[in-house]
Amino acid sequence: MRPTVHDIAIKAGVSLATVDRVMNGRPGVREKTKAKVEEAIRSLGYVRDVAAANLAKGRVYPFTFILPLNDNAFMAALRASVEQAGERGRIERTEISIIDVPAFDGDALAKALIAAGEEEPAGIALVAVDADPVRAAVGALKKKGIPVVTLVSDLEDSGRDHYAGVDNQAAGRTAATLLGRFIGPRAGRIAILVGSLSVRDHQNRLSGFSEGMALDFPNLQLTAPMEGRDDAAFAERLVDEALARDPDIIGIYSLGAGNRGLIAALEKARGDGREIVTIAHELSDHSRAALENGLFDAVLNQDAGHEVRSAIRVLKAEADGVPVIAAQERIRIDIFIKDNLP
């Protein structure tokens, strides 16, 4: 059985009230008595249930999520998951606020981080942009003792406490393997559509994809990445132009958003008799339909709800000063083809 505070009181020869004062750092206990209680805690191997203690105290955790504003279907799902978590606040003892910032705008994100820190929340989660002002803002928050979790897109060298998201380098390598095997021995070029290379998740996916293609599929050459900025109309135009000027493009890797524009471009290409092997990210209504009708060959997906729940668990743990359970916070990559759609 786990030792209790009663066991500590008996072993130390003190009252329960004295044990409570020592464990909660309250005054009124002599140093000699304090030392006896602390020794009893160590010898018994007592581990405090922080969650139960906070529940008894009625503690509420104010958390701030900073999210990009755009029409990206995945980001819409992420926002919905944060809003749902906010609705569960009474049960989970959280108060969640959302701050909106323009997508891919490092300066705006840095200002939002500083403003959020002035409210001194119990923790902040953000979809990171790879920019020096953002690193500086995260560093300032850490100096104030505010836990910071990056969500979906990481910023490893910023001093943040944790990253809640998939291994994007591995996701890119997986996309390379899928695309190369679907194409087979044919030679040709691969077009790459990104949202923005200002975010680390897209950088890492591109790096993993490039490495995988160079290592295993020398018959396929990569074109320069096209940045669609999560804008469907702009992405459509970029893909249209790429396919028009290069008849040797036989595959596309869409490693960010903009899938609606990509789908529109692929539909026109199919009408012209071209079949383009395509791997994309995030299972939305649009990408599901593209899998079903054969415009997409596979979709890599991450669970937005799992990432939000993970961010909240980690922020609670950081606020309480207890270890994070790494295995619980591992976010997996799901691979969908038209035959295994949920």
Side-chain angles (χ1 to χ4, degrees):
M1 291 180 60
R2 291 177 58 183
T4 67
V5 291
H6 292 83
D7 298 323
I8 297 170
I10 292 170
K11 189 170 184 64
V14 298
S15 68
L16 287 171
T18 298
V19 174
D20 181 73
R21 288 192 189 96
V22 173
M23 292 179 63
N24 289 287
R26 289 195 286 270
V29 182
R30 293 183 300 170
E31 285 300 318
K32 184 177 179 180
T33 302
K34 180 181 177 183
K36 288 170 62 178
V37 172
E38 291 173 343
E39 175 56 31
I41 291 171
R42 283 192 295 271
S43 64
L44 289 169
Y46 176 82
V47 178
R48 190 178 187 192
D49 188 339
V50 177
N54 285 335
L55 181 60
K57 296 175 187 176
R59 179 178 183 182
V60 174
Y61 300 82
F63 294 140
T64 299
F65 280 71
I66 305 179
L67 305 177
L69 268 178
N70 57 26
D71 62 354
N72 179 331
F74 175 77
M75 286 302 169
L78 187 76
R79 173 180 295 275
S81 295
V82 176
E83 291 171 347
Q84 289 167 9
E87 292 169 1
R88 298 192 301 269
R90 181 173 296 180
I91 298 171
E92 298 182 355
R93 295 173 293 115
T94 58
E95 290 180 353
I96 295 177
S97 59
I98 298 175
I99 296 177
D100 295 316
V101 294
F104 312 126
D105 190 330
D107 290 332
L109 177 55
K111 291 177 182 176
L113 284 166
I114 295 302
E118 291 174 355
E119 300 298 321
E120 298 187 351
I124 295 175
L126 70 145
V127 178
V129 174
D130 189 0
D132 288 336
V134 179
R135 290 187 186 84
V138 171
L141 292 172
K142 293 301 300 170
K143 286 181 180 178
K144 295 180 69 171
I146 298 175
V148 177
V149 169
T150 52
L151 194 64
V152 181
S153 184
D154 197 10
L155 199 57
E156 298 100 325
D157 50 358
S158 64
R160 54 87 175 129
D161 294 278
H162 185 80
Y163 163 58
V166 299
D167 181 339
N168 285 294
Q169 195 87 15
R173 291 194 300 269
T174 301
T177 297
L178 290 169
L179 188 62
R181 290 185 178 181
F182 277 124
I183 289 176
R186 290 183 295 157
R189 280 192 280 276
I190 306 300
I192 303 170
L193 179 64
V194 308
S196 172
L197 291 176
S198 69
V199 289
R200 192 68 64 90
D201 58 330
H202 292 193
Q203 295 172 17
N204 290 347
R205 289 176 187 177
L206 177 59
S207 173
F209 182 75
S210 301
E211 290 174 6
M213 294 300 292
L215 182 64
D216 296 325
F217 304 102
N219 55 310
L220 300 172
Q221 304 301 311
L222 306 186
T223 64
M226 302 175 286
E227 293 191 72
R229 306 291 294 182
D230 285 3
D231 183 310
F234 185 45
E236 179 181 355
R237 186 164 71 251
L238 288 174
V239 176
D240 281 342
E241 292 171 353
L243 294 178
R245 68 173 172 265
D246 192 344
D248 292 329
I249 290 177
I250 58 175
I252 294 177
Y253 175 37
S254 175
L255 59 81
N259 282 337
R260 282 180 294 167
L262 170 60
I263 290 167
L266 289 173
E267 286 174 338
K268 284 179 277 187
R270 175 178 284 183
D272 294 335
R274 293 180 70 173
E275 292 292 336
I276 311 293
V277 176
T278 303
I279 308 297
H281 279 261
E282 318 313 350
L283 188 64
S284 64
D285 291 341
H286 296 93
S287 58
R288 175 187 291 272
L291 279 174
E292 291 173 338
N293 65 26
L295 286 173
F296 285 179
D297 293 88
V299 169
L300 306 182
N301 190 63
Q302 56 188 317
D303 188 330
H306 188 181
E307 290 171 340
V308 170
R309 293 189 296 273
S310 176
I312 291 172
R313 283 193 299 267
V314 170
L315 288 174
K316 280 186 175 180
E318 294 291 343
D320 290 334
V322 300
V324 173
I325 304 173
Q328 185 180 20
E329 310 312 335
R330 190 172 296 116
I331 310 296
R332 71 183 186 185
I333 302 168
D334 293 315
I335 302 172
F336 293 108
I337 58 176
K338 67 178 180 180
D339 301 306
N340 71 335
L341 283 168

